[in-house]
Amino acid sequence: MPARLIEPASTLARASGGDGGRLALRAVERYALVGLWGVMIAVYSSIEPSIFDTSGTFQTIFGSQAAYVFLAMAFLCTVIVGDFVDLSVASILGLCATLVPVLSVFDHLPVALAATIAVAVGACAGAFNGLLVVYLGVDTIVVTLGMSTLLSGIALAISNLSAVSGLSASFGKLTLTELWGLPLSFYYGLALALVFAYVLAFTPLGRHMRFVGSNREVSRLAGIRVDRIRFGAFLTAGLLSGLGGVVVAAGLGGFDPSSAITYLLPTVAAVYLGTAVVRPGEFTPIGALIGVYFLATGVLGLQELGLAGWISDVFYGGTLIVTVTFTTLLRGRLAPAQ
């Protein structure tokens, strides 16, 4: 019998220790952000316990981020299939959130019909993006940046350059009604992230999306309909942005179209921050969800410590730079092993 088939006990112990070390390293890589989140909460709570360590702060963090969750899931749709940086999702949300009160309050349409039209407009905007990018070959950044500017202008035009309000309180209850201390909008976002994660992990569609994002040519050779999946990703991104717009409009009772662009940077930062958790180096719905609430915790804590409103831009921008750098270095380190 070859000697190598029987390893000494010391060798087996070292191997076991090595495996344990690798497992520990993987755990640190996957959950370091969650640990940092906990440390951040502890620090804020110790500095200002009467302000930060309250149920009101908890409700603010988890009950006011539904728009970012919907946008993060929309942004992920195209990122996962390899079409990075859809810059139009925030403006699609803004237009749809503006359409609901405009159609319902100004044009006296039933609010359900207004919401349906708004979501359909969002889906159409996403489909138009997909048509130009996938089938005509126009650059993604050029198309989505142009679409973002176009839709922002349309939203301002139909609202007469002002915030639009006046939606009924009964419509607002669809998102503001509390369950276990949090509004229903929180659970909508949570359900969306969980369903998206399930699709990616356990369905052929999800596997095909990741395969297309990894290598389009190999995917085509494998018989995957690459263009159809990419187009569907853009369409779904527009649809989810439209749904997010309806949720925002219901919660606020209206919308200010000039604020739509402010949703983009936090969304991008959250999505990239999510690559540092759960499956480091990969875009995941659960990672993006954690990223949204991590950023919300950081910004709210800093604001409650007395820092001015500019801190949100600094925090979002700095986090985006750090996480993109981390992801780039991590992918470079993992590449030889692959």
Side-chain angles (χ1 to χ4, degrees), residues 83-98:
D83 290 297
F84 291 92
V85 194
D86 184 345
L87 300 175
S88 67
V89 290
S91 293
I92 294 175
L93 178 143
L95 175 60
C96 295
T98 304

Side-chain angles (χ1 to χ4, degrees), residues 15-53:
S16 177
D19 290 341
R22 283 192 292 271
L23 290 174
L25 179 59
R26 288 179 182 176
V28 170
E29 288 179 340
R30 290 184 177 185
Y31 304 111
L33 183 67
V34 177
L36 181 59
W37 190 9
V39 170
M40 181 167 59
I41 292 173
V43 170
Y44 287 153
S45 298
S46 63
I47 294 175
E48 291 288 351
S50 62
I51 299 177
F52 189 85
D53 193 14

Side-chain angles (χ1 to χ4, degrees), residues 65 67-76 78-79 83-94 129 140-141 143-149 152 237 241 248 255-273 288 291-292 295 312-313 315-317 319-320 323-324:
Q65 305 300 308
Y68 296 111
V69 174
F70 274 85
L71 284 179
M73 299 306 122
F75 194 83
L76 274 175
T78 56
V79 168
D83 290 297
F84 291 92
V85 194
D86 184 345
L87 300 175
S88 67
V89 290
S91 293
I92 294 175
L93 178 143
N129 282 338
T140 305
I141 294 179
V143 169
T144 58
L145 179 60
M147 180 64 73
S148 174
T149 306
S152 295
S241 298
V248 171
F255 192 71
D256 181 359
S258 64
S259 68
I261 194 62
T262 63
Y263 287 85
L264 183 60
L265 179 58
T267 297
V268 177
V271 169
Y272 277 90
L273 185 60
V292 167
L295 292 173
S312 59
D313 289 338
F315 192 80
Y316 292 140
T319 301
L320 179 59
T323 52
V324 170

